[in-house]
Amino acid sequence: QVQFVESGGGLVQPGGSLRLSCSAPGAAFSTYTMGWYRQTSDNRRPSVAIIRTGGSTVYGDSVKGRFTILRDDAKNTVDLQMNNLKPEDTAVYYCNRFPPFSDSWGQGTQVTVSS
C-alpha cells in the first residue's frame, strides 16, 4: 500500500507564498500521474494541480497562474509552490496519485491564509 506524506503548510498572510512537499517512500512514483488536492467545506477533495509522468501539468481555474506543481522522480517527491495566496486557498492539502488511490490518503497539511 502506498502512503503519501505531506508537509510544508502553515499560516501565511494574503499575497504570501508557501511550498508544500509530498513524499512517497518505496512507491513506484515515477509511473504515477500525481496530484495535489484540497479539502472543501463539504468534504470533497478536488484536485488543484496535476503533473503527468512526462512533466505536463494541469491546474484548476482558481489556482492557475499562482500555483506550480513540480516533481522529482529521483527523490519520489512532488511539490506545490503556491504564490499570491488568497484567503479562499485556506484548506487542508493532500497529495495522491491522479486519479487517487482510495486508501492512500495521508494526514494532509493545513494551509491558512489570513491577515
Side-chain angles (χ1 to χ4, degrees):
Q1 178 178 342
V2 177
Q3 186 62 56
F4 298 102
V5 180
E6 302 92 351
S7 62
L11 172 64
V12 64
Q13 292 186 342
S17 297
L18 281 174
R19 188 177 181 107
L20 308 183
S21 187
C22 167
S23 65
F29 189 86
S30 63
T31 68
Y32 302 157
T33 292
M34 289 296 299
W36 278 95
Y37 305 76
R38 64 186 180 192
Q39 186 107 357
T40 63
S41 58
D42 58 354
N43 286 328
R44 294 182 301 111
R45 288 181 186 176
S47 61
V48 295
I50 68 167
I51 185 165
R52 301 186 179 95
T53 54
S56 62
T57 57
V58 179
Y59 297 94
D61 288 342
S62 63
V63 307
K64 200 172 296 183
R66 300 187 298 121
F67 290 11
T68 302
I69 187 169
L70 310 102
R71 67 188 298 156
D72 186 334
D73 289 340
K75 297 180 180 178
N76 271 21
T77 60
V78 59
D79 290 359
L80 186 68
Q81 176 67 44
M82 305 186 296
N83 298 327
N84 190 21
L85 282 160
K86 303 177 180 181
E88 53 264 40
D89 295 318
T90 295
V92 180
Y93 285 73
Y94 301 85
C95 71
N96 203 325
R97 192 193 65 166
F98 182 88
F101 292 119
S102 60
D103 56 356
S104 293
W105 294 104
Q107 294 297 309
T109 187
Q110 175 72 49
V111 171
T112 303
V113 185
S114 175
S115 55

